[in-house]
PDB file of all heavy atoms in Angstrom:
ATOM      1  N   GLU A  49      66.958  97.649 100.248  1.00 88.00           N
ATOM      2  CA  GLU A  49      66.086  98.670  99.662  1.00 88.00           C
ATOM      3  C   GLU A  49      65.202  98.056  98.580  1.00 88.00           C
ATOM      4  O   GLU A  49      64.013  98.344  98.462  1.00 88.00           O
ATOM      5  CB  GLU A  49      66.923  99.812  99.069  1.00 88.00           C
ATOM      6  CG  GLU A  49      67.561 100.690 100.126  1.00 88.00           C
ATOM      7  CD  GLU A  49      68.551 101.696  99.525  1.00 88.00           C
ATOM      8  OE1 GLU A  49      68.289 102.186  98.401  1.00 88.00           O
ATOM      9  OE2 GLU A  49      69.577 101.977 100.177  1.00 88.00           O
ATOM     10  N   GLU A 174     100.752  93.183  94.668  1.00 76.00           N
ATOM     11  CA  GLU A 174     101.529  92.028  95.102  1.00 76.00           C
ATOM     12  C   GLU A 174     102.782  91.852  94.259  1.00 76.00           C
ATOM     13  O   GLU A 174     103.840  91.512  94.768  1.00 76.00           O
ATOM     14  CB  GLU A 174     100.678  90.760  95.011  1.00 76.00           C
ATOM     15  CG  GLU A 174      99.956  90.466  96.300  1.00 76.00           C
ATOM     16  CD  GLU A 174      98.985  89.308  96.160  1.00 76.00           C
ATOM     17  OE1 GLU A 174      99.210  88.429  95.301  1.00 76.00           O
ATOM     18  OE2 GLU A 174      97.989  89.299  96.895  1.00 76.00           O
ATOM     19  N   TYR A 177     105.168  94.304  95.224  1.00 86.00           N
ATOM     20  CA  TYR A 177     105.607  93.934  96.568  1.00 86.00           C
ATOM     21  C   TYR A 177     106.711  92.878  96.494  1.00 86.00           C
ATOM     22  O   TYR A 177     107.734  92.982  97.180  1.00 86.00           O
ATOM     23  CB  TYR A 177     104.404  93.415  97.353  1.00 86.00           C
ATOM     24  CG  TYR A 177     104.697  93.039  98.785  1.00 86.00           C
ATOM     25  CD1 TYR A 177     105.158  93.990  99.681  1.00 86.00           C
ATOM     26  CD2 TYR A 177     104.495  91.740  99.228  1.00 86.00           C
ATOM     27  CE1 TYR A 177     105.404  93.655 100.988  1.00 86.00           C
ATOM     28  CE2 TYR A 177     104.741  91.398 100.537  1.00 86.00           C
ATOM     29  CZ  TYR A 177     105.202  92.355 101.421  1.00 86.00           C
ATOM     30  OH  TYR A 177     105.443  92.016 102.719  1.00 86.00           O
ATOM     31  N   ASP A 348     108.191 125.312 125.561  1.00 76.00           N
ATOM     32  CA  ASP A 348     107.317 124.779 124.526  1.00 76.00           C
ATOM     33  C   ASP A 348     108.156 124.755 123.246  1.00 76.00           C
ATOM     34  O   ASP A 348     108.727 125.758 122.859  1.00 76.00           O
ATOM     35  CB  ASP A 348     106.151 125.762 124.424  1.00 76.00           C
ATOM     36  CG  ASP A 348     105.106 125.324 123.459  1.00 76.00           C
ATOM     37  OD1 ASP A 348     105.441 124.561 122.550  1.00 76.00           O
ATOM     38  OD2 ASP A 348     103.954 125.756 123.630  1.00 76.00           O
ATOM     39  N   GLY A 356      99.698 122.861 113.432  1.00 86.00           N
ATOM     40  CA  GLY A 356      99.297 121.824 114.381  1.00 86.00           C
ATOM     41  C   GLY A 356      99.626 122.130 115.825  1.00 86.00           C
ATOM     42  O   GLY A 356      99.681 121.229 116.648  1.00 86.00           O
ATOM     43  N   ILE A 358      98.014 123.291 118.253  1.00 85.00           N
ATOM     44  CA  ILE A 358      97.022 122.905 119.266  1.00 85.00           C
ATOM     45  C   ILE A 358      97.117 121.413 119.601  1.00 85.00           C
ATOM     46  O   ILE A 358      96.788 120.982 120.691  1.00 85.00           O
ATOM     47  CB  ILE A 358      95.611 123.292 118.790  1.00 85.00           C
ATOM     48  CG1 ILE A 358      94.609 123.242 119.955  1.00 85.00           C
ATOM     49  CG2 ILE A 358      95.137 122.412 117.639  1.00 85.00           C
ATOM     50  CD1 ILE A 358      93.289 123.899 119.668  1.00 85.00           C
ATOM     51  N   VAL A 363     102.541 117.680 123.796  1.00 81.00           N
ATOM     52  CA  VAL A 363     103.467 116.544 123.809  1.00 81.00           C
ATOM     53  C   VAL A 363     104.876 116.924 123.385  1.00 81.00           C
ATOM     54  O   VAL A 363     105.771 116.098 123.399  1.00 81.00           O
ATOM     55  CB  VAL A 363     102.977 115.394 122.898  1.00 81.00           C
ATOM     56  CG1 VAL A 363     101.673 114.842 123.425  1.00 81.00           C
ATOM     57  CG2 VAL A 363     102.827 115.834 121.470  1.00 81.00           C
ATOM     58  N   PRO A 444     103.908 110.432 130.012  1.00 44.00           N
ATOM     59  CA  PRO A 444     103.070 110.963 128.944  1.00 44.00           C
ATOM     60  C   PRO A 444     102.517 112.326 129.326  1.00 44.00           C
ATOM     61  O   PRO A 444     102.127 112.544 130.477  1.00 44.00           O
ATOM     62  CB  PRO A 444     101.944 109.937 128.819  1.00 44.00           C
ATOM     63  CG  PRO A 444     102.069 109.036 129.982  1.00 44.00           C
ATOM     64  CD  PRO A 444     103.441 109.164 130.532  1.00 44.00           C
ATOM     65  N   ALA A 445     102.525 113.242 128.356  1.00 41.00           N
ATOM     66  CA  ALA A 445     102.094 114.606 128.607  1.00 41.00           C
ATOM     67  C   ALA A 445     100.665 114.630 129.111  1.00 41.00           C
ATOM     68  O   ALA A 445     100.291 115.456 129.928  1.00 41.00           O
ATOM     69  CB  ALA A 445     102.216 115.410 127.334  1.00 41.00           C
ATOM     70  N   SER A 446      99.881 113.646 128.615  1.00 39.00           N
ATOM     71  CA  SER A 446      98.469 113.637 128.946  1.00 39.00           C
ATOM     72  C   SER A 446      98.239 113.408 130.439  1.00 39.00           C
ATOM     73  O   SER A 446      97.218 113.771 130.987  1.00 39.00           O
ATOM     74  CB  SER A 446      97.784 112.546 128.143  1.00 39.00           C
ATOM     75  OG  SER A 446      98.524 111.361 128.231  1.00 39.00           O
TER      76      SER A 446
ATOM     77  N   ARG B  60      75.431 107.062  98.351  1.00 74.00           N
ATOM     78  CA  ARG B  60      75.505 105.908  99.246  1.00 74.00           C
ATOM     79  C   ARG B  60      76.792 105.951 100.046  1.00 74.00           C
ATOM     80  O   ARG B  60      77.870 106.104  99.487  1.00 74.00           O
ATOM     81  CB  ARG B  60      75.472 104.617  98.438  1.00 74.00           C
ATOM     82  CG  ARG B  60      74.139 104.314  97.848  1.00 74.00           C
ATOM     83  CD  ARG B  60      74.203 103.037  97.029  1.00 74.00           C
ATOM     84  NE  ARG B  60      72.990 102.866  96.243  1.00 74.00           N
ATOM     85  CZ  ARG B  60      71.858 102.382  96.739  1.00 74.00           C
ATOM     86  NH1 ARG B  60      71.796 102.022  97.993  1.00 74.00           N
ATOM     87  NH2 ARG B  60      70.791 102.264  95.981  1.00 74.00           N
ATOM     88  N   ASN B  68      93.559  91.523 102.349  1.00 53.00           N
ATOM     89  CA  ASN B  68      94.718  91.047 101.624  1.00 53.00           C
ATOM     90  C   ASN B  68      95.912  91.413 102.481  1.00 53.00           C
ATOM     91  O   ASN B  68      95.744  91.989 103.535  1.00 53.00           O
ATOM     92  CB  ASN B  68      94.789  91.736 100.257  1.00 53.00           C
ATOM     93  CG  ASN B  68      95.484  90.877  99.236  1.00 53.00           C
ATOM     94  OD1 ASN B  68      96.693  90.773  99.265  1.00 53.00           O
ATOM     95  ND2 ASN B  68      94.736  90.256  98.360  1.00 53.00           N
ATOM     96  N   ARG B  70      97.973  93.637 101.863  1.00 50.00           N
ATOM     97  CA  ARG B  70      97.896  95.096 101.931  1.00 50.00           C
ATOM     98  C   ARG B  70      96.434  95.479 102.096  1.00 50.00           C
ATOM     99  O   ARG B  70      95.712  95.626 101.116  1.00 50.00           O
ATOM    100  CB  ARG B  70      98.433  95.737 100.641  1.00 50.00           C
ATOM    101  CG  ARG B  70      99.897  95.532 100.408  1.00 50.00           C
ATOM    102  CD  ARG B  70     100.678  96.536 101.245  1.00 50.00           C
ATOM    103  NE  ARG B  70     102.081  96.175 101.257  1.00 50.00           N
ATOM    104  CZ  ARG B  70     103.005  96.781 100.531  1.00 50.00           C
ATOM    105  NH1 ARG B  70     102.677  97.741  99.728  1.00 50.00           N
ATOM    106  NH2 ARG B  70     104.258  96.412 100.626  1.00 50.00           N
ATOM    107  N   LEU B 125      92.174 113.504 127.572  1.00 94.00           N
ATOM    108  CA  LEU B 125      93.583 113.745 127.887  1.00 94.00           C
ATOM    109  C   LEU B 125      94.439 112.545 127.528  1.00 94.00           C
ATOM    110  O   LEU B 125      95.562 112.685 127.064  1.00 94.00           O
ATOM    111  CB  LEU B 125      93.738 114.049 129.379  1.00 94.00           C
ATOM    112  CG  LEU B 125      93.263 115.441 129.805  1.00 94.00           C
ATOM    113  CD1 LEU B 125      93.228 115.536 131.321  1.00 94.00           C
ATOM    114  CD2 LEU B 125      94.174 116.510 129.228  1.00 94.00           C
ATOM    115  N   GLU B 129      98.413 112.221 123.029  1.00 92.00           N
ATOM    116  CA  GLU B 129      99.566 111.798 122.242  1.00 92.00           C
ATOM    117  C   GLU B 129      99.163 111.131 120.937  1.00 92.00           C
ATOM    118  O   GLU B 129      99.835 111.302 119.919  1.00 92.00           O
ATOM    119  CB  GLU B 129     100.452 110.871 123.068  1.00 92.00           C
ATOM    120  CG  GLU B 129     101.355 111.693 123.956  1.00 92.00           C
ATOM    121  CD  GLU B 129     102.157 110.850 124.915  1.00 92.00           C
ATOM    122  OE1 GLU B 129     102.926 110.016 124.426  1.00 92.00           O
ATOM    123  OE2 GLU B 129     102.005 111.035 126.124  1.00 92.00           O
ATOM    124  N   ARG B 167      90.589 117.693 127.465  1.00 94.00           N
ATOM    125  CA  ARG B 167      91.313 118.973 127.463  1.00 94.00           C
ATOM    126  C   ARG B 167      90.273 120.088 127.614  1.00 94.00           C
ATOM    127  O   ARG B 167      89.242 120.079 126.963  1.00 94.00           O
ATOM    128  CB  ARG B 167      92.104 119.128 126.170  1.00 94.00           C
ATOM    129  CG  ARG B 167      93.286 118.179 126.093  1.00 94.00           C
ATOM    130  CD  ARG B 167      94.038 118.317 124.788  1.00 94.00           C
ATOM    131  NE  ARG B 167      94.721 119.600 124.687  1.00 94.00           N
ATOM    132  CZ  ARG B 167      95.392 119.977 123.598  1.00 94.00           C
ATOM    133  NH1 ARG B 167      95.453 119.186 122.548  1.00 94.00           N
ATOM    134  NH2 ARG B 167      95.996 121.140 123.564  1.00 94.00           N
ATOM    135  N   MET B 175      94.800 127.921 122.905  1.00 88.00           N
ATOM    136  CA  MET B 175      95.720 127.362 121.917  1.00 88.00           C
ATOM    137  C   MET B 175      95.245 127.631 120.501  1.00 88.00           C
ATOM    138  O   MET B 175      96.045 127.794 119.585  1.00 88.00           O
ATOM    139  CB  MET B 175      95.841 125.842 122.116  1.00 88.00           C
ATOM    140  CG  MET B 175      96.376 125.404 123.456  1.00 88.00           C
ATOM    141  SD  MET B 175      98.074 125.866 123.712  1.00 88.00           S
ATOM    142  CE  MET B 175      98.866 124.887 122.461  1.00 88.00           C
ATOM    143  N   ARG B 178      96.505 130.506 118.712  1.00 84.00           N
ATOM    144  CA  ARG B 178      97.930 130.504 118.347  1.00 84.00           C
ATOM    145  C   ARG B 178      98.172 129.984 116.946  1.00 84.00           C
ATOM    146  O   ARG B 178      99.127 130.381 116.282  1.00 84.00           O
ATOM    147  CB  ARG B 178      98.715 129.630 119.329  1.00 84.00           C
ATOM    148  CG  ARG B 178      99.310 130.382 120.483  1.00 84.00           C
ATOM    149  CD  ARG B 178     100.135 129.472 121.358  1.00 84.00           C
ATOM    150  NE  ARG B 178     101.395 129.074 120.723  1.00 84.00           N
ATOM    151  CZ  ARG B 178     102.276 128.274 121.315  1.00 84.00           C
ATOM    152  NH1 ARG B 178     102.030 127.791 122.512  1.00 84.00           N
ATOM    153  NH2 ARG B 178     103.391 127.942 120.704  1.00 84.00           N
ATOM    154  N   GLU B 181      95.098 126.850 112.006  1.00 93.00           N
ATOM    155  CA  GLU B 181      94.051 125.876 111.711  1.00 93.00           C
ATOM    156  C   GLU B 181      92.721 126.298 112.324  1.00 93.00           C
ATOM    157  O   GLU B 181      92.675 126.820 113.436  1.00 93.00           O
ATOM    158  CB  GLU B 181      94.427 124.496 112.274  1.00 93.00           C
ATOM    159  CG  GLU B 181      95.657 123.863 111.642  1.00 93.00           C
ATOM    160  CD  GLU B 181      96.925 124.219 112.388  1.00 93.00           C
ATOM    161  OE1 GLU B 181      96.857 124.952 113.391  1.00 93.00           O
ATOM    162  OE2 GLU B 181      98.011 123.762 111.962  1.00 93.00           O
TER     163      GLU B 181
END
Side-chain angles (χ1 to χ4, degrees):
Chain A
E49 288 172 35
E174 268 173 27
Y177 182 61
D348 184 335
I358 195 167
V363 296
S446 47
Chain B
R60 288 178 191 279
N68 208 284
R70 294 280 168 103
L125 286 170
E129 278 174 60
R167 290 178 68 183
M175 299 293 295
R178 266 183 72 180
E181 295 91 0

